[in-house]
Amino acid sequence: MSEISNKWIGTSTIRPDGADKVTGKAAYAADTNMPGMIWGKVLRSPHPHAIIRSIDTSKAEALPGVKAVVTAKDIVDFSVHTPVPLGIQDMRWMCRNVMAREKALFHGHPVAAVAATSGAIAEEACKLIEVDYEVLPWAIEIDDAIADDAPILHDFIEFEGKPSNIAGTLEHTLGDIDAGFDEADVIVERSFDTKPVHQGYIEPHACLVNVTPDDKMTVWSSSQGQFMVRAMTAFLTGIPQSDIRAIPAEIGGGFGGKTIIYLEPVAAMLSKKSGRPVKMVMSREEVMRATGPTSGAKSMVKIGAKKDGTIVAAQAVHYLQAGAFPGAPIRGACGCCFAPYDIPNVHSFGYDVVSNRSKVAAYRAPGSPIGAYAVESVLDEVAEEIGIDPLELRLKNAAKQGTKAAHGPVYPVMGYAETVKAALAHEHYKAPLGKFQGRGVASGYWFNAGGESSAQVNITEDGNVVVTTGHPDIGGSRASIANITAELLGIDYRRVSVLIGDTATIGYSNLTGGSRVLFASAMVVTQSTEQVIERLRGLAAKIWGIEAEAVTWSDGAARPAGENAGKFEPLTLKELAARSNETGGPIGAGVQLNTAGAEGGFATHVCDVEVDVDLGIVRVIRYTSFQDVGKAVHPAYVEGQMQGGAVQGIGWALNEEYIYNKDGKVDNPGFLDYRMPVCSDVPMLDNVIIEVPNPKHPQGVRGVGEVPLVPPLAAIRNAVYNALGIRFYSLPMSPPKVLEKLDATKMAAE
Amino acid sequence: MTDIQYVAPSTLDEAVGAYAAAKGAARILAGGTDLLVQMRAGMVKPGLIVDIKKVAELSAIEKTPEGGFRIGAAVSGAVLEEHPTFGKVWPGVLEGLNLIGSTQVQGRASAGGNLCNGSPAADSIPGLVAAGAIATVQGPNGRRNIPVEQVPTGPGKTSLAPGEILVSFTLPPRPAHSSDAYLRMIPRTEMDIAVVGCAVSLTMDGDTCTAARVSLGAVAPTVLLVEDAAKALVLTKLDDASLDKAAAACSAACNPIDDKRGTIAYRTKVAGVLLKRTTAIAAERAKGG
């Protein structure tokens, strides 16, 4: 890469989607309409747990304006006994999640759907559907779900030989855990709990689906992967992928929560039955009741260290809520929680627990914030017991190149220690604190992913560039790809237009998740662009009548090299494009790869809080994130990811929680009472970008999108301890909980 | 699938006539920041919407002959904010109204709507109660005046008779060295709903409080006028002992519920904390004026 000037890589160029978004012209899923379109609405279970004895849709079908009604009978059934995995999903559970089959498993579980000429008629018709339920006892919280007499959600799931709500386990082992604790001078063992939190994307799930009489389907929807939409819709409708065209809309936030579908197969069957295009748009309440938050959890963590701060043993047990169907992110909790450290003896165990809640979905580094909350909180206590600075403790035990991690890999080049060193050296870490103010730190890890991506790079006849990739852009991938393409071609980034293809116009590309998109798409775009450059050199060679090897490409032009240097005037991209007709035809190249070499990402956060001790309110007053990003191709977008993760962590730590009432229903299904932070709740969030390039990537990229949500929970919790001298073991640290503990501590002292 | 009728009369008589004739099927529309949300959520399905913003009296801000203010029931917070003197005389009333929602909502939302919506957590109402504001209502049987604290009767309920429309609020003339303040406890910093709200209106003579009214929101089925708290402040120098007594009176007046927004214990304690903080702000303002 030595010939690269880095004129564009590393600059915060104007984002290509910016003008549309600030002027309200960007088209989201609900903005697409078709002639003859009708509206679909979902009837949802009023019970958290009930057998569906029968469904009578005849009255709804008879209502004027109603064009189609669907129930689980219209969705392809998958036997519960045979896994049908697709990414992190399993069609056994998906088919039952989009439409309840034998049982309704949570309040808000879809039971039937209606399409009618207006939304109001469809809603009215839903009320005419008669469902005969046999209401069952339910379990919402983990303790209720794993109790001996717990109501069992799925009688085919067994644990230790009997029906259970524990749907799976995961274990990582390294060394000899008991021998490790025997060596320890200090052992700290604590229990924690966290609440499920929603991704909180602003745009609710929405789609428009048209199925023609010959079963050709077009889907317009907002998702993190049009190919994921196509594959899942194919599974659940029985229509082959080749007959489904999934067109990605601009996405109004996903954060992992749009790596799953809810509406598309339902709308597809309504369209197939009615012969009309069907549009479905969830309300915020439906989003909160029936789409996936991430898990609530219980964790037990035990860490042993020597007096000099060397950690010799670490053990964790995590119980994570899966919601109504198996699939809690125990891999993230168990695999990531000790990953920043070089610890010889590790045991990490996770339980996947089903209960009568909506099925969890991915949320930024799924599981990892939960594991890190418990581990990084215990590390704070270990540091205090030993009398060592909490960052120094982390630095002393930092994993490095060659460290064997409990979850499997031996680490390659990585930048964890650099994040801790940068935090230690930063002015923030030494700044004075006032009364009732405190400072906390925590670190975090995320695996990051590679996987399948496709790209097509085409040179237009006027000598500009169109790049098509297959990934919805949720974090700046278009702007970053424009930077990379412009860099490689040596042209202004404004001459590169980056588009997101639909499933019919670009090759298969795995979904936008796992912090994989820039890593993977930069690889296929780089290779495609290199092929284009090779072609351009060949065209110039042909025009000049010399060997292609004797032509170089730099600053947007082919130049004669070696003994031919200076013999011909350079030929620019524009000149070569204009002459392509006479030299061999259109200029373009496409590359499709299953990419590998995405290495893990690490971050360390420093957080200051101030507590209003009379009201119990914790406010974050200063926050600095230190993250190894490999290479920041577009630094403003990288900072946006870092800030976004921090602010979501602040919400998770301080106020966000699902509140269930005594009837097993969510009592706060909206943004008024589900308290995500607003802008004025947070200070300007500072970022320190650390670049330890990934040697396995042409630009040195590591994923950046998920690890920023891993450290905040513990960083804030540790800061509250530093401010008050009170340790919290439960999230959120909401005002009533903080005030109660303050008062109890005061009483105990008096 | 019933249709919704919409009328926007220019006189109060027409508005009352249409509203009364609909016999409960009608809803009044001022800013619509509660009504339209409730309609969208399917909570209410009015057959008739009576938009009162075109009635001059309901959108007016006037000085009364006695030197007080009369505020039309449909006046939005943003319009009241722009009045040249209202916010100097009643800063607490104004800040309560303009804590509601976002900037966009404040351009529509009115204190009249906030009162008639009947929420115990209504942010603009404690300030009006502490101010001693009188509500004027008009119905088929004519006009009557009632203290604001007598309008709400429970969550979502008011003492307005069928067909009666809230016309205006009348705030009394202000002695020198008087002012007011409103504070609310919310977990966020804005865009939230009061877990506890507290308004205090004071008149000071030097360091001595000569008159006080205290009102609490979100701690009982209705906004409360807390006379015992006011008594604890009057003829004191707002010293710690008096403030403790007033705070205790506020906590004693609380009759809250445990709900998703806060616990009984939390609300009861916070009511006293807010009393002290609000009183300090109001006293500072009163001494300055």
Side-chain angles (χ1 to χ4, degrees):
Chain A
M1 306 305 295
S2 55
E3 74 273 23
I4 293 296
S5 63
N6 270 356
K7 188 171 177 190
W8 302 113
I9 291 175
T11 61
S12 296
T13 49
I14 301 291
R15 51 194 286 177
D17 53 329
D20 274 356
K21 283 181 175 163
V22 298
T23 56
K25 299 290 195 296
Y28 295 89
D31 292 328
T32 307
N33 296 298
M34 274 186 87
M37 183 182 87
I38 58 174
W39 294 83
K41 296 281 178 189
V42 176
L43 174 69
R44 296 177 182 278
S45 169
H47 307 295
H49 195 192
I51 293 168
I52 298 171
R53 287 205 197 101
S54 65
I55 302 175
D56 182 349
T57 60
S58 55
K59 285 182 189 154
E61 283 162 33
L63 186 72
V66 170
K67 301 294 180 190
V69 179
V70 305
T71 64
K73 282 188 294 190
D74 300 290
I75 304 291
V76 175
D77 190 8
F78 290 86
S79 163
V80 294
H81 302 293
T82 311
V84 186
L86 183 78
I88 61 168
Q89 304 300 337
D90 186 321
M91 292 306 115
R92 289 179 292 170
W93 319 135
M94 284 286 289
C95 78
R96 286 167 175 79
N97 196 47
V98 302
M99 201 54 79
R101 195 160 280 275
E102 302 84 3
K103 280 165 127 188
L105 291 160
F106 58 94
H107 176 256
H109 197 165
V111 174
V114 177
T117 49
S118 77
I121 294 173
E123 272 178 13
E124 205 61 38
C126 282
K127 292 180 198 155
L128 298 175
I129 296 172
E130 291 167 1
V131 185
D132 183 12
Y133 292 106
E134 179 184 334
V135 179
L136 302 170
W138 62 87
I140 304 285
E141 303 300 339
I142 289 170
D143 284 341
D144 300 328
I146 62 175
D148 285 341
D149 58 347
I152 299 297
L153 272 74
H154 306 283
D155 55 14
F156 51 87
I157 292 177
E158 294 199 339
F159 181 71
E160 294 177 342
K162 53 182 186 192
S164 173
N165 292 321
I166 293 175
T169 59
L170 179 77
E171 186 172 20
H172 293 305
T173 306
L174 191 66
D176 181 336
I177 191 71
D178 294 328
F181 281 118
D182 286 344
E183 283 180 53
D185 299 315
V186 169
I187 295 176
V188 176
E189 183 174 8
R190 300 284 184 264
S191 297
F192 300 84
D193 71 81
T194 65
K195 298 290 192 291
V197 292
H198 199 271
Q199 297 82 354
Y201 31 81
I202 296 295
E203 182 196 24
H205 299 265
C207 67
L208 169 65
V209 179
N210 186 43
V211 181
T212 60
D214 56 347
D215 271 3
K216 308 281 189 215
M217 188 193 308
T218 308
V219 181
W220 293 263
S221 70
S222 166
S223 80
Q224 287 175 239
Q226 60 273 42
F227 292 90
M228 175 269 309
V229 169
R230 182 178 74 175
M232 291 183 182
T233 306
F235 268 119
L236 299 183
T237 61
I239 294 175
Q241 291 188 13
S242 51
D243 286 343
I244 301 175
R245 182 175 184 184
I247 299 175
E250 198 63 61
I251 181 168
F255 313 105
K258 290 178 184 167
T259 58
I260 183 173
I261 59 171
Y262 301 96
L263 298 174
E264 287 88 340
V266 178
M269 295 315 294
L270 288 169
S271 177
K272 185 172 157 71
K273 286 180 107 172
S274 65
R276 309 274 289 264
V278 174
K279 182 159 167 171
M280 299 184 81
V281 181
M282 281 196 197
S283 66
R284 178 65 54 191
E285 182 174 338
E286 288 179 294
V287 170
M288 296 301 291
R289 290 200 189 288
T291 73
T294 193
S295 310
K298 281 161 61 88
S299 300
M300 279 73 80
V301 168
K302 181 179 173 184
I303 294 175
K306 288 183 173 292
K307 276 185 195 138
D308 69 354
T310 307
I311 300 172
V312 288
Q315 189 166 27
V317 180
H318 303 291
Y319 290 83
L320 268 65
Q321 289 166 351
F325 298 98
I330 47 179
R331 178 176 162 264
C334 297
C336 297
C337 68
F338 297 120
Y341 308 107
D342 184 356
I343 306 173
N345 306 296
V346 176
H347 184 234
S348 182
F349 200 94
Y351 293 93
D352 181 0
V353 183
V354 295
S355 69
N356 296 108
R357 297 172 166 272
S358 57
K359 172 179 164 48
V360 300
Y363 181 24
R364 267 185 134 153
S368 184
I370 293 166
Y373 163 62
V375 167
E376 298 291 317
S377 294
V378 170
L379 281 179
D380 205 58
E381 301 194 31
V382 170
E384 186 182 40
E385 284 220 14
I386 294 175
I388 181 173
D389 175 277
L391 284 179
E392 294 287 0
L393 175 71
R394 287 168 172 84
L395 190 57
K396 187 173 179 63
N397 294 283
K400 51 199 167 296
Q401 187 174 5
T403 297
K404 166 81 177 160
H407 68 280
V410 174
Y411 289 130
V413 176
M414 48 92 105
Y416 172 57
E418 283 75 2
T419 69
V420 182
K421 285 179 196 159
L424 268 167
H426 197 273
E427 175 271 328
H428 180 176
Y429 198 56
K430 304 170 190 83
L433 289 164
K435 199 178 179 196
F436 300 130
Q437 295 180 349
R439 179 166 299 139
V441 301
S443 296
Y445 169 80
W446 179 246
F447 308 114
N448 292 332
E452 305 94 327
S453 284
S454 302
Q456 176 72 33
V457 176
N458 289 332
I459 306 301
T460 58
E461 301 94 290
D462 61 357
N464 294 308
V465 188
V466 176
V467 181
T468 308
T469 70
H471 306 292
D473 177 2
I474 62 172
S477 53
R478 280 172 291 192
S480 302
I481 290 296
N483 282 3
I484 290 170
T485 310
E487 193 76 62
L488 294 170
L489 283 168
I491 59 174
D492 192 291
Y493 82 98
R494 280 162 290 212
R495 290 173 61 191
V496 182
S497 180
V498 184
L499 306 178
I500 300 157
D502 64 60
T503 56
T505 58
I506 188 70
Y508 176 72
S509 298
N510 208 328
L511 51 74
T512 300
S515 299
R516 63 173 295 271
V517 163
L518 187 60
F519 172 84
S521 59
M523 277 189 172
V524 288
V525 167
T526 297
Q527 292 193 15
S528 302
T529 307
E530 284 169 355
Q531 287 183 19
V532 164
I533 291 171
E534 198 178 323
R535 178 88 196 288
L536 290 164
R537 286 168 53 220
L539 298 185
K542 199 169 179 184
I543 291 166
W544 292 328
I546 62 176
E547 293 296 313
E549 288 70 40
V551 178
T552 59
W553 184 270
S554 64
D555 282 339
R559 296 165 204 277
E563 59 185 33
N564 296 307
K567 284 192 188 162
F568 308 101
E569 282 298 304
L571 282 164
T572 65
L573 180 59
K574 277 187 193 299
E575 289 163 338
L576 289 166
R579 296 174 68 172
S580 65
N581 175 276
E582 62 190 79
T583 54
I587 306 166
V591 169
Q592 300 179 280
L593 285 178
N594 187 4
T595 65
E599 303 300 349
F602 294 88
T604 298
H605 291 188
V606 179
C607 167
D608 293 356
V609 300
E610 180 173 292
V611 184
D612 182 330
V613 295
D614 295 317
L615 298 179
I617 298 175
V618 176
R619 299 264 186 244
V620 174
I621 55 173
R622 189 169 180 189
Y623 203 100
T624 310
S625 303
F626 303 83
Q627 186 176 334
D628 172 22
V629 304
K631 175 69 194 173
V633 172
H634 190 290
Y637 262 120
V638 168
E639 289 201 59
Q641 291 290 334
M642 293 166 73
Q643 292 173 318
V647 76
Q648 286 182 314
I650 290 169
W652 195 340
L654 296 181
N655 280 307
E656 290 180 41
E657 62 179 316
Y658 278 61
I659 300 166
Y660 278 78
N661 69 15
K662 61 178 175 33
D663 300 320
K665 300 171 188 176
V666 177
D667 209 14
N668 57 336
F671 285 150
L672 181 59
D673 289 305
Y674 180 85
R675 289 182 160 109
M676 295 180 68
V678 296
C679 282
S680 55
D681 290 348
V682 294
M684 177 49 80
L685 302 161
D686 296 318
N687 313 291
V688 176
I689 292 175
I690 293 158
E691 294 181 318
V692 178
N694 177 357
K696 295 176 185 167
H697 191 273
Q699 285 82 29
V701 165
R702 294 174 199 273
V704 300
E706 289 173 285
V707 78
L709 182 51
V710 182
L713 312 183
I716 295 164
R717 178 264 186 194
N718 295 339
V720 170
Y721 170 71
N722 189 235
L724 300 179
I726 298 173
R727 298 262 185 211
F728 284 80
Y729 296 95
S730 173
L731 297 182
M733 294 179 286
S734 57
K737 274 161 86 175
V738 172
L739 194 63
E740 194 182 344
K741 205 145 178 172
L742 272 163
D743 285 349
T745 309
K746 237 183 271 171
M747 294 247 281
E750 276 163 13
Chain B
M1 259 56 65
T2 46
D3 289 336
I4 300 170
Q5 302 286 321
Y6 169 89
V7 293
S10 55
T11 70
L12 190 53
D13 286 344
E14 284 175 86
V16 168
Y19 185 51
K23 295 194 187 302
R27 292 290 297 243
I28 300 293
L29 174 75
T33 57
D34 284 314
L35 179 62
L36 299 187
V37 174
Q38 289 165 5
M39 286 170 63
R40 253 187 176 241
M43 291 160 65
V44 295
K45 289 196 171 152
L48 171 70
I49 291 173
V50 181
D51 185 342
I52 55 171
K53 286 192 293 294
K54 299 242 172 5
V55 180
E57 188 180 358
L58 273 71
S59 293
I61 306 170
E62 300 164 330
K63 289 286 266 193
T64 61
E66 298 78 28
F69 282 95
R70 186 178 298 117
I71 311 297
V75 171
S76 74
V79 168
L80 196 57
E81 179 97 48
E82 288 179 355
H83 190 273
T85 57
F86 182 84
K88 295 188 174 78
V89 182
W90 297 104
V93 172
L94 190 61
E95 69 196 353
L97 180 55
N98 281 335
L99 281 174
I100 297 171
S102 61
T103 301
Q104 293 92 326
V105 167
Q106 287 152 16
R108 306 292 293 178
S110 63
N114 205 207
L115 181 63
C116 292
N117 187 50
S119 167
D123 277 311
S124 70
I125 306 310
L128 287 165
V129 169
I134 302 297
T136 298
V137 300
Q138 185 163 325
N141 301 320
R143 214 171 244 243
R144 63 189 180 106
N145 294 324
I146 36 174
V148 168
E149 59 269 25
Q150 289 176 20
V151 174
T153 54
K157 297 195 181 102
T158 71
S159 61
L160 268 57
E164 278 188 329
I165 293 176
L166 180 68
V167 177
S168 62
F169 298 101
T170 303
L171 284 77
R174 225 34 184 141
H177 303 299
S178 299
S179 197
D180 65 343
Y182 176 74
L183 286 179
R184 63 175 181 178
M185 190 282 154
I186 51 172
R188 286 189 287 225
T189 44
E190 61 179 342
M191 301 293 290
D192 211 331
I193 187 163
V195 176
V196 179
C198 178
V200 174
S201 174
L202 297 175
T203 302
M204 301 296 290
D205 179 0
D207 287 335
T208 304
C209 172
T210 55
R213 280 172 69 93
V214 174
S215 176
L216 291 173
V219 295
T222 63
V223 172
L224 300 177
L225 175 66
V226 190
E227 289 174 335
D228 287 347
K231 275 183 206 153
L233 299 176
V234 173
L235 299 179
T236 74
K237 292 189 186 306
L238 305 179
D239 50 288
D240 287 349
S242 308
L243 288 170
D244 282 343
K245 208 172 152 192
C250 280
S251 292
C254 292
N255 177 25
I257 53 170
D258 270 326
D259 73 358
K260 60 195 170 192
R261 292 173 186 152
T263 60
I264 291 170
Y266 183 75
R267 286 179 152 131
T268 305
K269 172 153 192 204
V270 166
V273 174
L274 289 190
L275 177 279
K276 292 183 186 181
R277 293 184 183 185
T278 315
T279 301
I281 296 168
E284 196 61 36
R285 287 175 179 167
K287 287 178 199 168

